[in-house]
Amino acid sequence: MSENNQEEKLVGIVMGSTSDWDVMKEAAKMCRDFGVSFEARALSAHRTPDELGEWIANMEKRGCKAFIAGAGGAAHLAGVVASHTILPTFGVPIPSKYMKGLDSLLATVQMPKGIPVSTLAIGEAGAANAALAVIAMLAINNSELKDKLIEFRAKQSEKVRKATLPELD
Ligand code: RP5
């Protein structure tokens, strides 16, 4: 996609590889469900560093308010995204083949002082929660979004209240 695109998007979702999409689509789905505009891209900190920087700059021009970055293994993507922008950056550690995402978690969460990456849980829950964290941030100045978030929590609570445990064998 061309970085000349001017369409407004509130959230930038980026992942190091298309292989991360199965996890990162949970962030995209949450944004979609809350009616929050987003753009999702597979761009790598080490395989396409220049394109990554160009995309971040383009997103900033288009009204982006936060970035969600997911990567696996030596997962420096979220830190690199955060280094390119002062917008809040949320990191999602992607489960990896050999270390099950513990490598991704440590690489994403252990940012040196000065460039923060707010890091979520490994995997799908982290991706969904990254979007919820961004939505909560946007809801501070958006009463419609705030109401949707309150409704989301209420429905979630109701589901737990109504849940029943299986009978004993
Ligand atoms: C990371 O390496 C990506 O974020 C992905 O999680 C991992 C493996 O990428 P592929 O080899 O599947 O493209 O950069």
Side-chain angles (χ1 to χ4, degrees), residues 13-15 20-28 68-70 92 94 127:
I13 300 175
V14 63
M15 60 218 82
D20 299 327
W21 177 241
D22 257 1
V23 171
M24 293 305 289
K25 71 183 180 200
E26 297 304 320
I68 298 173
V92 181
I94 302 292

Side-chain angles (χ1 to χ4, degrees), residues 15-20 44 46-47 70-77 94-95 104:
M15 60 218 82
S17 168
T18 54
S19 65
D20 299 327
S44 165
H46 51 276
R47 290 170 178 155
H76 42 278
L77 179 62
I94 302 292
S104 323

Side-chain angles (χ1 to χ4, degrees), residues 71 112-113 163 169:
K113 184 178 177 182
D169 295 336

Side-chain angles (χ1 to χ4, degrees), residues 21 27 54 102 139 153:
W21 177 241
E54 285 161 18
L102 185 58
R153 291 277 185 105

